[in-house]
Amino acid sequence: MEKIKNLFLPFGKVSRGTLIIANITWVVILLALFQILHSPIVPAPSKIISSFYGLMQSANFWDNFLSSLFVTIQAMGYSIIITMILVYLSTIPLFKLFAQFASKCRYLTLTGLVVLFTFFTSDLGQLKISLLLFGIVPYFVTSFLSVIDSIPQQQIDKAIVNRKTPWGILYEIVIVGRLDQLFEVMRQNFAISWMMITMVEAYDMSGGGIGTMLIKSNRHLDLAPIFAMLLAVLLIGMLFDWGLRKIRYSLFDYLEPQK
């Protein structure tokens, strides 16, 4: 009885098993209500699940998924390199402006810059990578700058007292000391790139990808497959998030997994 009572209290402490049962109960209730009260426009959960099952058996879907995943991983790799260069250089006052400018670019919209990127790229594949980079790097830089700014001044002062050189402080405290947090920032920003890939693929219909499949389904107003694809995108994104979290705890075994 105490466990059930804690479910309804702010900051109530419950076991993992109890929380899982509560979440499953919510999902069942919401799906049942959606099935009964769904509108004529939005397909019922039964139709979405049926379309999802067919989608998982489609070789075409997995080919397009691999295409989207390859572009996303490519863009993530480039964005990590660019972010590391900008943020590590930001510890040098002369170069701080570049990281700050990159961070502010998150307020720009891609819509007005597509033509500009088209002129500076040689093919549509490079255009997709460029658009993804522009969408990822500003948020990546912003997140990692906050990690650097959160370094206690006492830690830097202690390194100075121990006669560490400025380059030694950069290496030990910032690069090595915050490597686990860089990985966490990467994990969080993977969600942004995975969300953006479907939008970016709209500019290159010939290149395939999940975004291309979504646009083609939108043209036919076939909503059940669209919701099935959205469900697949969500589940795959959650799977990668879980995998990257596990990898982080494996690489940095001094971290305690969140319960």
Side-chain angles (χ1 to χ4, degrees):
M1 192 67 183
E2 187 68 23
K3 292 181 179 179
I4 298 176
K5 180 181 178 181
N6 287 336
L7 282 171
F8 298 91
L9 295 176
F11 310 108
K13 293 183 178 181
V14 295
S15 66
R16 187 178 183 84
T18 303
L19 189 59
I20 290 174
I21 293 173
N23 290 338
I24 292 174
T25 303
W26 270 121
V27 171
V28 171
I29 292 173
L30 292 174
L31 286 176
L33 289 174
F34 192 15
Q35 179 71 30
I36 297 170
L37 303 175
H38 73 278
S39 67
I41 299 176
V42 180
S46 57
K47 291 184 178 180
I48 297 174
I49 293 172
S50 176
S51 295
F52 179 80
Y53 178 75
L55 192 67
M56 292 297 99
Q57 295 179 314
S58 169
N60 182 50
F61 168 78
W62 291 110
D63 288 341
N64 282 283
F65 160 71
L66 291 175
S67 174
S68 297
L69 182 62
F70 178 72
V71 174
T72 303
I73 291 176
Q74 252 189 308
M76 282 295 296
Y78 292 141
S79 66
I80 290 168
I81 295 172
I82 294 170
T83 297
M84 290 172 68
I85 293 172
L86 288 174
V87 174
Y88 292 150
L89 282 178
S90 73
T91 60
I92 304 173
L94 181 63
F95 300 105
K96 193 168 186 176
L97 174 66
F98 296 101
Q100 291 177 335
F101 175 74
S103 176
K104 296 300 184 289
C105 283
R106 68 189 189 276
Y107 295 109
L108 287 175
T109 173
L110 283 175
T111 305
L113 297 172
V114 173
V115 176
L116 181 64
F117 279 113
T118 304
F119 281 115
F120 285 99
T121 52
S122 59
D123 56 57
L124 291 174
Q126 290 185 8
L127 175 62
K128 289 198 292 187
I129 295 289
S130 300
L131 291 174
L132 269 180
L133 283 175
F134 189 82
I136 299 170
V137 170
Y139 292 96
F140 211 151
V141 170
T142 302
S143 300
F144 200 34
L145 278 177
S146 66
V147 170
I148 304 302
D149 291 340
S150 66
I151 296 175
Q153 184 61 40
Q154 294 89 336
Q155 190 175 2
I156 297 175
D157 293 340
K158 183 179 179 180
I160 294 173
V161 170
N162 291 331
R163 297 184 179 180
K164 295 287 185 182
T165 65
W167 294 107
I169 294 173
L170 172 63
Y171 176 75
E172 291 186 14
I173 296 179
V174 178
I175 297 178
V176 176
R178 296 300 182 275
L179 193 59
D180 65 304
Q181 294 184 47
L182 171 64
F183 198 92
E184 175 63 13
V185 168
M186 180 195 72
R187 183 186 70 82
Q188 293 175 3
N189 283 271
F190 178 83
I192 297 175
S193 60
W194 187 240
M195 177 193 69
M196 285 191 60
I197 185 63
T198 53
M199 179 187 69
V200 168
E201 284 169 343
Y203 297 106
D204 180 19
M205 296 291 289
S206 62
I210 296 177
T212 303
M213 291 184 68
L214 282 168
I215 290 172
K216 289 180 179 179
S217 296
N218 278 328
R219 288 177 178 175
H220 296 91
L221 295 177
D222 199 0
L223 294 181
I226 291 174
F227 277 87
M229 276 185 274
L230 292 175
L231 178 60
V233 169
L234 174 63
L235 293 178
I236 292 170
M238 290 171 62
L239 179 63
F240 273 101
D241 184 78
W242 175 83
L244 289 171
R245 185 190 296 269
K246 290 294 183 182
I247 292 172
R248 178 173 179 249
Y249 289 128
S250 298
L251 292 175
F252 309 100
D253 53 8
Y254 54 85
L255 297 173
E256 292 185 7
Q258 293 180 355
K259 295 182 179 180

